């Protein structure tokens, strides 16, 4: 291991160096997968010595988790704002939450994070447990809260979707997989899929 020295310039320089490492790490994980990614390749992409990475992260697993957090949590936090203390229309909140997912996950490279977990997650239970606890569970809880809020307001009928919000997310996940696997063969209109998705679930949820 190289002998790292703290980056000059104080806290701002340190934070910027961390952002550079996380960005480089995520791109390497996207391209190589978790198992094949090497820390020296991340260091080279980030323009730092390999030992510098150990100033911030004690293992490749820790680096991977923080890279995923840096990409996904800002989006998840925006989604959660609609469920913490919902006000006004539950339908509007649900539309906003799903639209954020389409725009900021499916419509960006963040969708590639899903492929990483699908391809390699079963080999690395720690990483699956991390993603379940910090991303999936929170997203499901936010969706469940808004659905329950809609029922309490009389907007939504009480349905199994409250206990199984997986059915609400389902079409969006299919869209992400399609973009990664088949888009060069049959390009997918993300906005059209989003509108069809919303029409379908609201048709089943809205109280007549």
């Amino acid at each position: 291991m190289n002998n790292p020295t703290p980056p000059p310039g104080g806290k701002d320089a340190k934070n910027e160096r961390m952002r550079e490492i996380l960005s480089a790490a995520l791109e390497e994980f996207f391209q190589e997968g978790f198992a094949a990614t090497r820390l020296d390749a991340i260091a080279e992409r980030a323009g730092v010595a390999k030992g510098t990475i150990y100033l911030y992260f004690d293992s490749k697993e820790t680096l991977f988790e923080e890279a995923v957090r840096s990409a996904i949590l800002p989006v998840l936090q925006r989604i959660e704002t609609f469920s913490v203390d919902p006000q006004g229309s539950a339908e509007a909140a649900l539309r906003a939450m799903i639209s954020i997912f389409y725009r900021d996950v499916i419509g960006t490279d963040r969708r590639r994070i899903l492929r990483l977990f699908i391809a390699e997650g079963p080999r690395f239970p720690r990483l699956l447990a991390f993603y379940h606890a910090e991303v999936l569970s929170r997203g499901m809880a936010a969706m469940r809260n808004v659905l329950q809020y809609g029922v309490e307001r009389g907007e939504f009928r009480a349905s199994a979707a409250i206990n199984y919000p997986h059915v609400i997310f389902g079409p969006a996940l299919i869209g992400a997989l399609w973009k990664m696997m088949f888009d060069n063969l049959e390009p997918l209109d993300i906005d059209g899929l989003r509108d069809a998705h919303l029409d379908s679930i609201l048709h089943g949820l809205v109280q007549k």
Side-chain angles (χ1 to χ4, degrees):
M1 182 188 303
N2 296 328
N3 293 320
T5 57
K11 184 176 180 180
D12 289 345
K14 184 177 180 179
N15 289 341
E16 179 59 28
R17 181 66 55 82
M18 179 181 286
R19 285 192 291 269
E20 291 169 353
I21 292 171
L22 291 174
S23 177
L26 202 56
E27 190 57 37
E28 283 294 321
F29 289 130
F30 285 159
Q31 292 191 11
E32 304 296 333
F34 176 79
T37 290
R38 297 175 295 110
L39 290 181
D40 53 357
I42 294 173
E44 182 178 356
R45 182 183 289 273
V48 301
K50 179 179 177 181
T52 302
I53 293 176
Y54 287 99
L55 290 172
Y56 303 93
F57 310 101
D58 60 11
S59 67
K60 186 169 74 168
E61 289 82 2
T62 301
L63 175 54
F64 177 85
E65 290 168 3
E66 193 57 40
V68 170
R69 284 191 189 99
S70 71
I72 289 292
L73 290 193
V75 178
L76 181 58
Q77 288 163 358
R78 289 197 293 276
I79 289 173
E80 287 178 323
T81 60
F82 294 96
S83 71
V84 173
D85 184 22
Q87 303 290 329
S89 167
E91 178 178 337
L94 185 61
R95 285 183 177 275
M97 293 168 72
I98 290 176
S99 294
I100 289 171
F101 189 81
Y102 273 92
R103 183 185 66 240
D104 295 335
V105 177
I106 300 177
T108 72
D109 274 351
R110 291 184 181 95
R111 64 177 177 263
R112 298 165 72 185
I113 293 171
L114 296 172
R115 181 167 62 186
L116 277 172
F117 282 99
I118 291 169
E120 298 193 80
R123 298 169 56 196
F124 300 99
R126 166 181 165 173
L127 301 184
L128 276 186
F130 150 75
Y131 194 71
H132 177 265
E134 298 203 21
V135 180
L136 290 182
S137 292
R138 287 173 59 177
M140 292 294 182
M143 184 65 68
R144 188 178 291 111
N145 287 345
V146 168
L147 293 173
Q148 184 63 52
Y149 170 68
V151 171
E152 292 168 358
R153 279 174 52 87
E155 286 186 63
F156 297 158
R157 64 185 182 86
S159 73
I162 294 176
N163 294 322
Y164 300 97
H166 314 67
V167 301
I168 304 294
F169 278 112
L173 296 178
I174 293 297
L177 294 175
W178 189 281
K179 290 291 290 183
M180 290 185 287
M181 299 173 64
F182 305 114
D183 208 50
N184 62 323
L185 300 173
E186 184 179 336
L188 180 64
D189 176 1
I190 287 295
D191 291 339
L193 178 62
R194 178 203 62 214
D195 292 344
H197 181 178
L198 286 166
D199 180 71
S200 176
I201 61 173
L202 288 170
H203 181 75
L205 286 172
V206 172
Q207 190 77 271
K208 302 299 184 183

